[in-house]
Amino acid sequence: MNHLVAPSLLAADFGKLNDEIDMINRSEADWLHLDMMDGVFVPNLSFGFPVLEAVSKRVQKPMDAHLMMVHPEMYLERLAGLGIYHVTVHYETCPHLHRTVQQIKELGMKAGVTLNPHNPVHLLEEILPEVDMVLIMSVNPGYGGQHFIPQTYEKIRKLRSIIEKAGLQTLIEVDGGVDLENKNDLLKAGVDVLVTGVTVFHSPNPLETIRKLKT
Ligand code: DX5
Ligand code: ZN
């Protein structure tokens, strides 16, 4: 399949949020990536439901919510109510991951699981047939604009091979430090979805940058 591009709203100018969302609507972006942080699982806060509600009313692309929070199951119903398309929860936050994945799917959303950089892909082998996507963090979650961790390539290759051997359609998304330099190597390693924050929103011509990320 052709790869997807999901700009991360975290790097947008929140003082002109409507303009930023309109830019995404006009662009070739496939999804809008939404980073929700709780200040507990990650050492930062981002935005919560009031902002998400405003975004959901304006955006015309599917919303890809990346939950960096403890007890993500508490918020799933509200996310479904806002029309979120894809939800990824962190492996590290879900002691009953199988149950949480089922809950996401029962609410009509696509379910993804995220792995922090230190966690090996084999942790997901048993849950893989149940999930629509695995999000591989290529930085430690919590902040935009960090340096890409090079070990991510090998991790993606390993996960791609597990997915293929099992005959699954699970997507692989990569998040953190993705730019125009490393995107081809990431796609070659087996990535389906590129998340990009500063690369898109801090570039002089975000529409053109998204177009380049799509090629
Ligand atoms: C980090 C977030 C990322 C972040 C990526 O915790 O999950 O989505 O916004 O930003 P860049 O592309 O700037 O590294
Ligand atoms: Zn993210």
Side-chain angles (χ1 to χ4, degrees):
M1 70 164 231
N2 288 336
H3 70 273
L4 308 179
V5 170
S8 164
L9 192 70
L10 192 64
D13 180 346
F14 281 70
K16 47 173 191 157
L17 197 50
N18 282 346
D19 295 345
E20 300 279 54
I21 296 169
D22 291 346
M23 181 279 290
I24 293 295
N25 288 341
R26 287 197 310 277
S27 78
E28 291 177 43
D30 298 280
W31 298 346
L32 179 62
H33 185 83
L34 298 159
D35 290 300
M36 301 189 70
M37 306 178 183
D38 67 351
V40 179
F41 175 59
V42 288
N44 199 8
L45 295 161
S46 54
F47 46 80
F49 280 97
V51 172
L52 198 58
E53 205 179 316
V55 172
S56 71
K57 284 187 184 145
R58 197 156 182 114
V59 73
Q60 290 157 8
K61 309 271 179 175
M63 290 175 284
D64 174 35
H66 172 194
L67 308 188
M68 286 161 273
M69 54 178 71
V70 297
H71 302 302
E73 67 283 351
M74 283 171 56
Y75 306 102
L76 298 177
E77 256 184 75
R78 288 175 76 185
L79 292 167
L82 291 177
I84 297 290
Y85 170 66
H86 216 301
V87 173
T88 60
V89 292
H90 267 260
Y91 172 84
E92 298 84 5
T93 63
C94 294
H96 305 288
L97 182 61
H98 188 277
R99 180 182 294 151
T100 307
V101 165
Q102 300 311 321
Q103 283 170 347
I104 295 172
K105 295 199 293 188
E106 277 159 22
L107 287 162
M109 299 181 286
K110 300 273 185 200
V113 180
T114 310
L115 281 182
N116 269 341
H118 72 282
N119 263 331
V121 290
H122 72 75
L123 286 174
L124 300 182
E125 221 158 328
E126 273 66 32
I127 194 86
L128 219 46
E130 305 293 325
V131 304
D132 299 290
M133 186 165 78
V134 173
L135 168 48
I136 299 288
M137 287 309 301
S138 38
V139 297
N140 285 293
Y143 303 93
Q146 302 183 77
H147 289 298
F148 180 85
I149 299 173
Q151 285 85 342
T152 310
Y153 292 119
E154 189 49 29
K155 237 171 128 172
I156 290 166
R157 280 192 284 269
K158 276 188 197 158
L159 180 58
R160 172 55 61 200
S161 134
I162 295 173
I163 289 171
E164 272 171 19
K165 273 190 201 134
L168 298 169
Q169 302 300 317
T170 323
L171 298 178
I172 303 178
E173 182 175 53
V174 64
D175 185 6
V178 175
D179 57 26
L180 291 167
E181 300 283 300
N182 59 21
K183 65 122 183 155
N184 285 336
D185 288 338
L186 286 166
L187 295 173
K188 224 177 288 161
V191 165
D192 301 291
V193 189
L194 298 166
V195 175
T196 50
V198 301
T199 294
V200 165
F201 285 99
H202 295 193
S203 83
N205 187 343
L207 285 173
E208 179 64 9
T209 303
I210 293 171
R211 200 189 57 73
K212 287 184 184 154
L213 286 162
K214 278 295 288 177
T215 55

